[in-house]
Amino acid sequence: MSTSKSILTLALLAIGMSSFAQQTLPMPRNIDKAYQHQTRSKDGMPGKKYWQNTADYTIKVNFDPTTRKLAGTVAIAYVNNSPDTLKQLQFKLYPNYYQKGAPRDRGIAPENVNEGVQIRQLRINNVASDVSKLTIDATNMPVKITPLAPGQTADIAITYDYELNAGSHNRTGQVDESAFFVAYFFPRITVYDDLDGWNKNPYIGSQEFYNDFCQFNAEITVPKNFVVWATGDLQNAAQVLTKKYVKRLEQAEKKDDYITIIDSTDLKKNDITAANATNIWKFEAKDVVDFVFATSDHYMWRSTSLVVDPKTKRRTRVDAAFNPKHKDFWEVVEFARKTVHAMSYTFPAWPFPYSHETIFDGLDQMEYPMMVNDNPLEDRAATIELTDHEIFHTMFPFYMGTNETKYGWMDEGWATIGEWIITPLIDPSITDDYGVRPYAAMAGTEVDLPITTLSTQQTGAAFYLNSYPKPGLGYLYVRDMLGEELFTKALHTYIRNWHGKHPMPYDFFYSMNAGAGRNMNWFWQRWFFDDGYPDLAIGNVQQQAGQYQVTVTAVGSKPVPVDLTVMFADNTTQKIHKDVSVWEKGNTTVDVSFKPGKAVKRIVLGSTFVPDSNPTDNVYEIK
């Protein structure tokens, strides 16, 4: 090849590599409209015309533990901040998951099928509606209204009741004879946003939730001896708890110590709550996307608190409410405290945003604002992993109002990497690699779809892979590539841009690029949008003058870090690590050189968090 041709070839190659690294992300037409309408911006910020709706909820319910009937009222002041005149309101009736005939992608016991939510009265702007003419389609209830112009508020008042499920516990229901976790228990107005308009996706079990940031004032009436834990701050502790327990609660909110607010001996005295036939527990929560409560007459309550923001000295109280028969829960409050501490100071290194976090001994593994519904487990490591995973959801999706229904990976992936990082901080003997090996086994098969496939279009293994291990690994590799300091800066940029709002995938990608000062679209494209599987191989090993050169070949198209373990004849080892950026230019081989200084016995490719769909070519024996 002539010199001039060589220069031209190299120039064209450089241009090709540059365009590969700086490529733009593929975008569906409906998403692109948001950028055209300036509600979203490609600098990662909300657009100058960004908007979102909100509401104030006043909830007053009576819950009867004997019959499991929940009855009450909800008053909603709904604010239309959109540029559109709304001709209907779309309500969600989540308890109708158990309604006869409702669509479900999870089985429930026949005895749990019920009549669903009964709307007894409905008034909009003080005008009564004929509830017999409501068109309720399982969990969706559209209601026609007098047009609500931009900037106007609609006042809605609903009287309703339903029977809480006794079994088939799907995130809510009876836990035992007198313990209940009550979620999704009130009619609410669903999200109207700049991407889809009304969220009309039915709740069928697997996909999770999407709600607006709202204010909640709740009054929950339960019988004497029943204690209530809930989203938000308890406003009337002195009226519902006796003095001894109020004092313990106050101590827990001010001290680093572990305080047993209710112990097993207290439960026998029946002196915990006020001596009324029923008590009204009042809670207030601001700037949250949901409200839940739990209640029991036989649960212990352990508590502690810690400073989560050293600048303001703000504290978060951490609670565990549990059946004393479940021995694993005796440590849960410690696991929870360490999780809140790690989230505030290590990862994501953002002050825990809420005043309390309560882990309730329930029958699921599910997160809610300021609450967790966790089942008891016999294995201590599993208990730690479950506790930190569910608490990590505080940031995603609750501080960041992502659409879990469509983009499950935008919260579950973060909880997965949070679990990987925080679990060994709680107990260094535990290596938490949840989901990595299943992904390696199924990557590139028929069930392995791109992460950006909508959650509503996935079930089974595809839903699992794309919600948990695959996005978790993607976040982990970006953290490794940027380094902890720059990654934290990028992540904080995303959090600052979109806290209290509704980010979607491109808002995340663009915010991270902006915060890092680096176009990472090459990685977002290949890990989140493209098909493929992770598979590295040791292609060639050369030795010369005491130096080794190992050629690592990318057999699969998913970019992953390169980790070599050099094993010496004296049974010592050396680790060599290259982050995922070694594949940025589209190359399919990487050369790794090292000078060991002593006899090498074996070279092994791979590590715990680098899945490999064909590990048989990952070992090189020195002859």
Side-chain angles (χ1 to χ4, degrees):
M1 185 182 291
S2 67
T3 303
S4 59
K5 287 184 177 179
S6 298
I7 293 172
L8 178 60
T9 300
L10 289 172
L12 291 172
L13 182 62
I15 292 171
M17 287 182 174
S18 174
S19 63
F20 186 91
Q22 302 301 319
Q23 68 191 80
T24 58
L25 296 176
M27 184 178 291
R29 289 187 296 116
N30 61 308
I31 301 297
D32 188 54
K33 286 182 180 179
Y35 294 92
Q36 296 175 22
H37 295 160
Q38 298 181 299
T39 57
R40 315 267 166 167
S41 173
K42 291 186 178 180
D43 62 3
M45 296 283 290
K48 64 180 182 181
K49 294 184 179 180
Y50 179 81
W51 55 268
Q52 67 190 54
N53 293 348
T54 187
D56 287 350
Y57 284 79
T58 301
I59 303 168
K60 298 181 180 182
V61 294
N62 184 301
F63 178 65
D64 184 342
T66 303
T67 63
R68 303 189 314 280
K69 184 176 181 180
L70 185 145
T73 62
V74 55
I76 310 169
Y78 181 75
V79 183
N80 179 20
N81 291 320
S82 83
D84 306 323
T85 296
L86 304 179
K87 298 179 180 180
Q88 69 167 5
L89 296 177
Q90 185 80 28
F91 289 81
K92 279 285 189 282
L93 305 177
Y94 287 123
N96 280 359
Y97 174 80
Y98 291 94
Q99 186 184 45
K100 182 179 181 180
R104 287 179 288 271
D105 63 6
R106 296 179 176 184
I108 64 172
E111 58 268 26
N112 293 141
V113 176
N114 59 40
E115 296 303 314
V117 178
Q118 303 298 305
I119 304 296
R120 305 299 181 181
Q121 294 180 1
L122 171 63
R123 301 181 71 85
I124 301 176
N125 292 329
N126 211 31
V127 176
S129 298
D130 185 350
V131 296
S132 68
K133 295 182 179 180
L134 290 174
T135 304
I136 299 176
D137 181 13
T139 57
N140 284 342
M141 185 177 77
V143 177
K144 291 183 179 180
I145 60 170
T146 301
L148 184 67
Q152 289 188 341
T153 298
D155 292 312
I156 301 100
I158 302 174
T159 302
Y160 73 105
D161 58 74
Y162 77 97
E163 183 180 295
L164 185 71
N165 50 297
S168 300
H169 191 110
N170 189 42
R171 305 188 176 106
T172 182
Q174 183 171 2
V175 177
D176 62 28
E177 69 280 358
S178 56
F180 308 84
F181 196 97
V182 187
Y184 325 119
F185 66 94
F186 56 94
R188 74 193 68 199
I189 299 175
T190 190
V191 175
Y192 183 84
D193 68 18
D194 61 318
L195 300 177
D196 300 316
W198 288 111
N199 170 24
K200 296 182 180 180
N201 290 308
Y203 171 52
I204 59 175
S206 292
Q207 290 82 33
E208 296 182 3
F209 306 94
Y210 185 36
N211 295 308
D212 276 319
F213 285 86
C214 299
Q215 320 300 322
F216 294 90
N217 283 280
E219 297 184 5
I220 300 156
T221 301
V222 291
K224 175 187 174 184
N225 297 328
F226 276 82
V227 177
V228 177
W229 298 266
T231 300
D233 298 318
L234 179 61
Q235 300 296 296
N236 64 333
Q239 283 72 54
V240 292
L241 293 169
T242 57
K243 290 183 179 179
K244 176 171 60 175
Y245 302 99
V246 172
K247 183 176 180 180
R248 291 177 185 175
L249 178 59
E250 291 173 346
Q251 289 176 333
E253 291 176 337
K254 298 175 183 177
K255 294 184 178 182
D256 293 341
D257 296 339
Y258 293 96
I259 306 292
T260 301
I261 298 175
I262 301 173
D263 65 23
S264 55
T265 58
D266 295 324
L267 292 170
K268 300 174 184 177
K269 299 175 183 177
N270 292 325
D271 69 342
I272 298 169
T273 68
N276 307 309
T278 61
N279 290 302
I280 302 174
W281 297 67
K282 298 180 181 180
F283 295 89
E284 180 179 274
K286 297 179 179 179
D287 197 28
V288 294
V289 295
D290 202 358
F291 186 95
V292 301
F293 74 91
T295 186
S296 173
D297 65 354
H298 64 282
Y299 270 28
M300 284 183 55
W301 182 358
R302 295 193 69 210
S303 187
T304 183
S305 65
L306 66 155
V307 173
V308 294
D309 188 344
K311 293 181 180 179
T312 64
K313 305 300 181 184
R314 181 173 61 81
R315 302 181 75 89
T316 289
R317 192 186 79 241
V318 181
D319 301 318
F322 60 97
N323 189 327
K325 294 179 180 178
H326 297 151
K327 299 305 179 186
D328 62 312
F329 259 88
W330 289 72
E331 285 191 278
V332 161
V333 72
E334 286 123 24
F335 303 154
R337 177 195 174 91
K338 290 176 181 178
T339 299
V340 170
H341 185 275
M343 289 176 63
S344 300
Y345 296 99
T346 304
F347 182 74
W350 190 275
F352 195 84
Y354 301 120
S355 58
H356 78 84
E357 181 70 19
T358 300
I359 298 81
F360 189 81
D361 178 0
L363 290 177
D364 212 293
Q365 301 184 353
M366 187 62 190
E367 70 282 352
Y368 316 80
M370 307 183 213
M371 295 280 285
V372 165
N373 174 11
D374 279 352
N375 59 295
L377 297 167
E378 293 184 4
D379 181 74
R380 184 174 183 272
T383 300
I384 293 173
E385 293 160 4
L386 174 60
T387 301
D388 57 37
H389 180 105
E390 302 305 341
I391 294 175
F392 202 88
H393 276 298
T394 297
M395 292 299 297
F396 313 91
F398 300 133
Y399 196 64
M400 312 287 288
T402 58
N403 186 342
E404 301 171 272
T405 308
K406 290 175 63 176
Y407 314 118
W409 60 271
M410 292 188 73
D411 70 293
E412 293 295 354
W414 285 112
T416 301
I417 183 179
E419 176 186 334
W420 291 339
I421 292 172
I422 294 174
T423 295
L425 297 178
I426 297 174
D427 186 337
S429 70
I430 301 172
T431 299
D432 183 351
D433 60 352
Y434 172 70
V436 179
R437 282 174 288 181
Y439 171 50
M442 290 185 280
T445 67
E446 290 178 310
V447 302
D448 184 23
L449 305 173
I451 294 173
T452 51
T453 305
L454 296 182
S455 297
T456 51
Q457 298 173 354
Q458 303 174 66
T459 57
F463 180 81
Y464 166 73
L465 294 177
N466 283 332
S467 296
Y468 297 87
K470 286 173 65 179
L473 289 167
Y475 303 147
L476 190 68
Y477 297 160
V478 172
R479 184 175 187 249
D480 179 46
M481 176 173 64
L482 295 180
E484 188 170 341
E485 183 177 350
L486 184 57
F487 176 82
T488 300
K489 178 176 180 288
L491 181 55
H492 285 189
T493 299
Y494 171 50
I495 293 172
R496 279 193 296 270
N497 285 351
W498 289 97
H499 155 59
K501 301 179 177 65
H502 293 311
M504 52 87 173
Y506 297 88
D507 302 317
F508 164 68
F509 297 135
Y510 294 151
S511 288
M512 292 294 289
N513 287 352
R518 180 171 173 175
N519 188 320
M520 295 181 286
N521 287 349
W522 74 272
F523 181 77
W524 305 132
Q525 169 81 46
R526 292 172 68 184
W527 194 264
F528 287 83
F529 289 83
D530 290 352
D531 291 313
Y533 60 95
D535 182 11
L536 300 183
I538 296 178
N540 188 31
V541 178
Q542 294 181 337
Q543 305 174 45
Q544 187 174 3
Q547 180 162 313
Y548 283 75
Q549 179 175 290
V550 180
T551 299
V552 177
T553 300
V555 180
S557 60
K558 287 295 185 186
V560 293
V562 175
D563 287 292
L564 291 178
T565 300
V566 182
M567 305 179 71
F568 299 107
D570 62 2
N571 292 324
T572 59
T573 60
Q574 177 185 351
K575 303 282 188 181
I576 302 171
H577 175 74
K578 301 290 183 181
D579 68 61
V580 75
S581 66
V582 296
W583 309 108
E584 181 173 354
K585 298 185 183 301
N587 48 300
T588 57
T589 61
V590 169
D591 291 329
V592 180
S593 299
F594 63 94
K595 195 168 186 178
K598 52 184 174 179
V600 176
K601 179 171 60 175
R602 182 182 299 116
I603 301 172
V604 180
L605 174 65
S607 64
T608 300
F609 292 101
V610 178
D612 195 306
S613 295
N614 179 26
T616 59
D617 48 15
N618 288 12
V619 179
Y620 185 86
E621 301 283 353
I622 306 298
K623 299 178 181 178

